[in-house]
Amino acid sequence: MSQSVLSLFRDGHAYMSTWPVKKELYPHFPECKVISATRFSIAVMPPVAVVCSAMLINTLGSDYLPQTLAIGAFFLSLPLQGILWLGHRSNQSLPPSLKNWYHEIHGKLQQEGCDVHKRQSEPKYRELAALLKSAFEQLDKVFTRRWFE
């Protein structure tokens, strides 16, 4: 299923705010690293682009304006690349091993009486993110530690 770039940005931003960035998840999922790097680049890359562009124009002059704009655009595109990756990842179906894990966590949350969304038969990474977020918020560390040892 093909998606527009704007919907990927929207999905990526939503996925970035939904995914729980917890130390227990770092070894298992690349999302934690991508989200941390994307958040860092959102804060850092715009000033870096301005400073680099200003230094290049100051040093080389206006004859190098196209190259300067290209370098500035490169720095500004780095956070967008992370958001696009997250948007694409959020719409992917879970592999069978993670699907079983999703169903196990969902069952445990229901068993404990937690408020969870309806169980999906073909879950995607965004449903896993919502489920993990509610698991970390609603269950104590004794229950969540078992899943990540």
Side-chain angles (χ1 to χ4, degrees):
M1 171 169 82
S2 178
Q3 287 188 302
S4 72
V5 173
L6 289 177
S7 67
L8 283 175
F9 279 127
R10 192 176 21 238
D11 292 346
H13 190 270
Y15 189 56
M16 188 166 59
S17 63
T18 304
W19 187 268
V21 180
K22 300 286 188 181
K23 67 179 180 174
E24 295 91 347
L25 297 175
Y26 268 83
H28 304 286
F29 298 99
E31 278 84 350
C32 297
K33 295 174 186 120
V34 172
I35 289 171
S36 296
T38 302
R39 286 183 179 152
F40 177 76
S41 67
I42 287 171
V44 171
M45 288 304 146
V48 168
V50 169
V51 168
C52 284
S53 298
M55 286 177 54
L56 284 170
I57 289 292
N58 189 31
T59 305
L60 302 174
S62 62
D63 292 339
Y64 288 90
L65 185 62
Q67 292 89 340
T68 302
L69 292 176
I71 289 172
F74 168 74
F75 283 121
L76 291 175
S77 74
L78 290 176
L80 301 177
Q81 293 175 34
I83 294 172
L84 278 175
W85 185 89
L86 290 167
H88 176 71
R89 176 74 167 205
S90 73
N91 293 311
Q92 290 179 343
S93 295
L94 292 176
S97 60
L98 282 180
K99 195 182 303 183
N100 293 335
W101 195 54
Y102 168 86
H103 293 308
E104 177 187 338
I105 294 172
H106 193 279
K108 185 65 174 176
L109 284 170
Q110 280 186 330
Q111 179 183 351
E112 294 297 323
C114 298
D115 184 30
V116 291
H117 295 294
K118 183 181 171 194
R119 184 174 163 172
Q120 302 290 324
S121 61
E122 288 297 320
K124 298 186 183 303
Y125 277 94
R126 64 175 165 246
E127 283 96 11
L128 178 64
L131 188 70
L132 286 173
K133 184 176 183 177
S134 60
F136 278 108
E137 288 174 352
Q138 297 178 18
L139 294 178
D140 64 0
K141 291 184 180 187
V142 173
F143 288 114
T144 56
R145 187 181 316 134
R146 181 179 72 88
W147 289 317
F148 301 109
E149 289 181 342

